[in-house]
Amino acid sequence: MTFLGFAERLTAGWRDGEQPAQVDKLLLHAFLEDLRQAYRRRVWRPGDWRRTAYPVLLLDGVEVDGVGHTLVRLLTDVRNETGRNDPLLVVALATAPPPELPGTRPLREADDAYDEWAEALPETRRLRRSAAWLVALRPDDEDATPPPGVVPPALVAPDPPWWARRFLPAAVAVVLLAGMLVWADSRWTLDCHPTPTGQVRVQVLAGECVGYSDTAAQVFNSEPGQERLRAVQRRIFAQNRAAEQVWRRSDQRRPCLTLVYLGTLTGNRTRIDEESYVSEREELEGLATAQYALLKESAAADGAALLHVVVANGGRQMRHAGPAVAMLERLAHDDPTVLGVVGLVESRTSTAAALRELNRVGLPVLAPTLSADRMDGNSSLYLQISAPNSAQAAMIETYARQVLRVTEAHAYFTTGEGSSLTEDLYVGTLVDGLRQRFGSRLTRLDEWSTGRRLTAECGYRGVLVFAGRWSEFDGFLRALKECGNDPPRHLVADDSVNRYMANPGLRASAPGNLPVTYVSKAALATCAALRAAQAARDDARGSFLTWVGADDLLDPPRCRDGAGAPVGERVSLAYDAAMMMVRALESLAARLRHADTGRRWEPRSVNPVGVHAEVLRQNVAAGYPGVAGVVRYAPDSGEPVAKRLALLRVARVPDVAAEPVEVFHCGAADSGPDPGCRPV
C-alpha cells in the first residue's frame, strides 16, 4: 500500500472499518512526533534553546470512562509501546481518579507533586508503568483559588540562556556586518570595487586600486589632473562593447583575442595640473588605435581579428604586480580569448618577478618600452619591442664621438624615490652600458639627488649624460640653471626623459636657455615622419596616421592640419605590440579555417603559447613591419635586433609647440640590412 492510499484510509468516512483504538493511537502518536520535532534542540539554531520547559496538557475533571480518562490511557499505551521520549507533561485534575492514575495529591501541593514525579520519572519509564508520564492532582475544598494569571512555581518555565535571547541574532548580525564593512573597506573603496558587469576584479593594496577591468564601471585613477588617462580607458571599454557587437553580427566568424594591458596606473605623486601617467596613457592610446583599426575592417572580412582589451594596474613602480598577476591567472583560466599581456612600463626587479609569474601562467608578454638588458631571461614568452639599453648606450657614445667630436663624458643617474640601483634594472643596465662603451673616457659617474648642486658642470665641453628616471629630470635641469650663460655644452638624456618632454606643464617652467638632446624609441612615428611616410605611400605608417587623426578616437586627435597635438612616443610602440599578436592570430585562424569547414570561430582552438610561437615564425623571414621600425628577433632572444633608435634635439625645453628635430639614428626603419648609425 502506498502512503497516499494509507492516508486515504484514515480520512473521515473511510476509516469506519478500521479499529477505532488503533486509529486513535496512530493519530496521537503523530501528534507526539510533531511535538518531538518542534522541541528538538539543534546547536546551529539558538532559537530552539529558548524553549526551557516542555508543554503542559491540563486535563480537568478526569473521571472513569470519560474523555480525559481515555486520553490518559491512550498516552500511556503509546509511550509504553514506542519507548520514545516526547516533551508533553500531562497534569490531570481528578476528584475521583480512575485506577490508571497514580495517587493524587492536593492541588495546593502541586510543587511537591511535580518534584516527586520528576525524581521518579526515570524508574517509572524503565518499568513502563501506566502513570509514568502523569502528574495527578486533587482539588479539595480547602484549596484557595489562585488569582488569574498566577501559575504554580513548579510549572513556570525558567528564563532562556543568554546566548539564546532574542537580542543575540541581531547582535551577531550587527557584528558580522561591521566586520564585513571593515574587511570590505580594507579591500575596496567607492572608486575601487567589484561590479557584476564585465570582467572586473580589484582590491585596495597600500592605498592603490590593484586588479583589472574591461568596463567603464571600474576606471583606474580618480586623481585630479588625470582626465586623459581616464578618457582613454573609457574609449577602450566602449570599443570593447563595439567589438563584441561586431563579433556577434558576424555570426561569430571573426577570430577574436583579448590582450591585457598591465601598467602603473596609480601611486605617483602629482600636482593637480600635472599629467603624471603620460607613458601609460600613450600605451593605452596605442591599444585603442589597434582596436579602432580592426573595427574599421570590412564586415565581410571574416579573417580580420577583433581586439578586446582588459586594463590592469600593478601599482606604483609595479610593486603590486604579484597580486595583479594572480588575478590575471584566474582570468586567463576562465577566458580562453586571453592570449597575451602588453605593457609593464618600467624595468624593475618587481617587473622581472611579474614576468616570471606570467611565464609560469603561460601568458606571452609584449613590452612596448621595457629596455633593461636581459629582461628576456625572466620569461621564455617575452618579446621586447624597443632596443635594449646596451644599444642605447652604444648610440650615445657613437654620437658623442662621431657628431659632437668629444671623447670625454660625465654621467649622472637617478632611480627615483624609494628605489635603489639594484632594484631599478633600467638605470642599472644603462649605467653598465655607459661604463662599457666609454670605458676610461667616462671620467665622472655619480648618483644625483634632489638638492645637489651641479655647478661643477658649468661650461663642461664633453658630453653630459643624464641616465636616470624622468621624475628627477626637472630637478636636474633646475640645478644646471645655476650655470646661467655658461651651461654644459652637450646635454644628452636617456629615453625615460620622453615622459618629461611629453608633459607641457613640467616643461613650461624649465630653464629656457638649455638645449637638450634625448633618446627616442619611436622617432619614425612623429607627425612629420608619418606625413612623409604617407606621401611615400607607406601603407602601414599612412594608415596609422589616419587612425590617430580620426575625430572619434583619441582626444585630442593627433597630427591634424600640420599643427595638431603630437602623436606621442609610446603610442606607436604599443600599437606595434598589439598588431604583432593580432597578425599572428589571423594567420593561425586562416590555417584553421582552411582545415575546418566550420564557420564559427572557436577561441579554444588556439592558445597563448601557440600565438607566441606564430609571432616568432612570422618574424623569421623579414621581421614585423612596425610603425616605429621593423621588429626582428634572433632565434634565442626576446630582444629586437637592430631596432631603430634616434636622438631628438630641442633648442628650448619650454617651447612645447616646436617639434623636436631628429639629429642622429641607429638601426633599421624597414626590412633589409642594418644601416648602422648615422647623423640626419
Side-chain angles (χ1 to χ4, degrees):
M1 177 179 290
T2 64
F3 175 79
L4 290 177
F6 178 70
E8 186 179 15
R9 285 178 56 184
L10 297 178
T11 56
W14 289 83
R15 64 188 180 199
D16 295 341
E18 305 293 338
Q19 296 182 18
Q22 295 300 320
V23 174
D24 292 341
K25 285 183 179 181
L26 177 64
L27 296 177
L28 184 57
H29 192 185
F31 168 69
L32 294 177
E33 181 61 26
D34 289 342
L35 285 178
R36 291 187 194 101
Q37 294 186 12
Y39 279 77
R40 182 178 301 158
R41 290 186 176 182
R42 286 154 288 198
V43 176
W44 59 90
R45 294 186 59 178
D48 292 348
W49 293 81
R50 289 187 52 79
R51 297 190 173 99
T52 59
Y54 287 163
V56 177
L57 174 61
L58 180 60
L59 298 177
D60 193 7
V62 177
E63 57 186 18
V64 177
D65 295 332
V67 174
H69 181 204
T70 302
L71 181 57
V72 168
R73 188 177 63 252
L74 288 174
L75 278 169
T76 299
D77 292 343
V78 169
R79 285 168 166 171
N80 286 335
E81 289 173 8
T82 62
R84 300 187 63 186
N85 191 20
D86 60 69
L88 182 64
L89 171 62
V90 178
V91 179
L93 293 178
T95 304
E100 290 87 353
L101 294 184
T104 59
R105 299 190 58 162
L107 182 59
R108 61 179 179 275
E109 298 177 7
D111 291 348
D112 296 335
Y114 176 80
D115 293 338
E116 291 177 2
W117 170 83
E119 183 178 354
L121 179 60
E123 179 67 14
T124 54
R125 284 183 57 193
R126 185 181 64 82
L127 298 175
R128 294 192 176 186
R129 291 183 177 173
S130 59
W133 306 89
L134 303 173
V135 174
L137 300 177
R138 180 183 69 254
D140 292 338
D141 295 338
E142 300 177 2
D143 294 332
T145 303
V150 176
V151 181
L155 301 182
V156 175
D159 293 334
W162 65 268
W163 43 266
R165 304 288 176 89
R166 295 188 184 279
F167 75 88
L168 184 65
V172 170
V174 170
V175 171
L176 290 176
L177 179 61
M180 290 179 63
L181 290 175
V182 171
W183 176 76
D185 183 65
S186 67
R187 293 175 60 89
W188 303 302
T189 59
L190 292 177
D191 60 349
C192 180
H193 55 83
T195 173
T197 60
Q199 293 176 321
V200 179
R201 189 177 180 190
V202 290
Q203 180 180 352
V204 176
L205 295 173
E208 297 185 65
C209 187
V210 175
Y212 63 81
S213 171
D214 76 339
T215 174
Q218 172 60 57
V219 175
F220 292 101
N221 200 317
S222 60
E223 298 174 12
Q226 313 313 315
E227 289 79 11
R228 294 181 71 185
L229 177 65
R230 293 191 290 272
V232 69
Q233 291 180 71
R234 293 190 180 97
R235 166 56 55 186
I236 285 174
F237 298 150
Q239 293 184 161
N240 282 344
R241 297 193 300 271
E244 183 177 359
Q245 292 170 2
V246 171
W247 186 63
R248 295 187 184 282
R249 285 200 300 270
S250 73
D251 196 24
Q252 302 178 9
R253 297 179 185 180
R254 295 178 63 172
C256 57
L257 77 158
T258 295
L259 290 179
V260 177
Y261 175 78
L262 177 57
T264 300
L265 301 174
T266 56
N268 294 343
R269 293 191 302 174
T270 179
R271 300 195 311 263
I272 294 179
D273 61 343
E274 176 186 347
E275 186 184 6
S276 186
Y277 302 87
V278 174
S279 293
E280 294 79 6
R281 186 255 300 164
E282 289 182 352
E283 290 183 355
L284 287 170
E285 287 177 340
L287 292 177
T289 304
Q291 274 187 306
Y292 185 85
L294 296 169
L295 285 169
K296 292 300 180 181
E297 294 280 356
S298 169
D302 290 344
L306 291 165
L307 177 59
H308 178 268
V309 176
V310 172
V311 178
N313 180 32
R316 182 172 182 263
Q317 297 181 356
M318 299 299 290
R319 291 177 179 175
H320 304 298
V325 171
M327 298 180 196
L328 293 176
E329 179 178 8
R330 180 63 181 271
L331 173 65
H333 179 271
D334 295 339
D335 184 355
T337 68
V338 176
L339 297 179
V341 175
V342 175
L344 277 74
V345 186
E346 295 184 344
S347 303
R348 299 182 182 273
T349 52
S350 56
T351 308
L355 282 175
R356 292 191 291 272
E357 281 298 296
L358 288 167
N359 185 68
R360 179 188 62 79
V361 173
L363 283 177
V365 176
L366 286 87
T369 59
L370 294 190
S371 58
D373 297 333
R374 300 174 298 279
M375 286 296 283
D376 58 341
N378 296 287
S379 172
S380 59
L381 300 174
Y382 173 78
L383 294 174
Q384 190 170 293
I385 306 300
S386 299
N389 280 349
S390 57
Q392 185 172 167
M395 181 178 67
I396 293 174
E397 188 276 333
T398 304
Y399 174 71
R401 178 167 38 84
Q402 293 185 358
V403 178
L404 301 180
R405 304 293 181 181
V406 298
T407 57
E408 186 179 290
H410 290 173
Y412 291 88
F413 63 88
T414 69
T415 58
E417 182 183 356
S419 184
S420 67
L421 193 61
T422 303
E423 296 170 332
D424 195 328
L425 301 178
Y426 169 81
V427 176
T429 58
L430 181 58
V431 167
D432 288 343
L434 292 172
R435 280 199 193 99
Q436 293 174 11
R437 297 299 302 191
F438 281 96
S440 60
R441 293 174 291 138
L442 186 63
T443 56
R444 177 177 293 170
L445 178 61
D446 291 335
E447 182 174 7
W448 182 85
S449 57
T450 302
R452 179 179 174 180
R453 301 183 68 186
L454 291 172
T455 52
E457 302 300 334
C458 295
Y460 179 60
R461 295 183 176 274
V463 59
L464 177 63
V465 180
F466 177 82
R469 291 288 180 178
W470 71 276
S471 51
E472 282 76 44
F473 189 62
D474 185 69
F476 189 81
L477 290 178
R478 293 182 183 281
L480 291 175
K481 189 176 182 180
E482 286 191 73
C483 293
N485 294 324
D486 189 27
R489 184 70 60 88
H490 309 292
L491 174 59
V492 177
D494 58 26
D495 74 279
S496 177
V497 169
N498 263 289
R499 301 181 73 168
Y500 177 86
M501 301 304 294
N503 196 317
L506 291 177
R507 290 179 59 179
S509 59
N513 64 337
L514 187 63
V516 175
T517 303
Y518 61 96
V519 177
S520 170
K521 296 174 178 176
L524 291 171
T526 62
C527 292
L530 290 172
R531 293 189 191 101
Q534 190 177 54
R537 299 184 181 278
D538 184 325
D539 290 339
R541 295 187 178 97
S543 297
F544 179 77
L545 178 62
T546 300
W547 304 141
V548 297
D551 292 324
D552 55 345
L553 179 58
L554 304 182
D555 185 19
R558 310 300 156 81
C559 307
R560 296 282 291 272
D561 304 325
V567 69
E569 170 81 3
R570 292 162 175 81
V571 178
S572 60
L573 295 169
Y575 175 85
D576 287 345
M579 295 306 289
M580 282 177 63
M581 290 289 285
V582 168
R583 299 312 177 203
L585 177 66
E586 289 175 345
S587 176
L588 290 174
R591 275 183 268 164
L592 290 169
R593 187 177 296 109
H594 179 73
D596 188 355
T597 58
R599 300 173 63 186
R600 289 191 175 187
W601 168 250
E602 173 51 54
R604 296 190 183 276
S605 60
V606 298
N607 60 66
V609 176
V611 176
H612 173 265
E614 180 63 17
V615 170
L616 295 179
R617 190 195 68 80
Q618 292 183 354
N619 193 267
V620 169
Y624 174 76
V627 173
V630 63
V631 185
R632 291 179 287 205
Y633 298 102
D636 58 347
S637 174
E639 294 180 346
V641 177
K643 182 66 194 300
R644 185 64 171 254
L645 282 174
L647 285 169
L648 305 182
R649 182 178 176 84
V650 292
R652 297 181 67 256
V653 176
D655 189 0
V656 179
E659 266 201 37
V661 177
E662 184 176 341
V663 296
F664 196 74
H665 63 245
C666 298
D670 299 297
S671 300
D674 178 12
C677 298
R678 62 184 62 183
V680 177

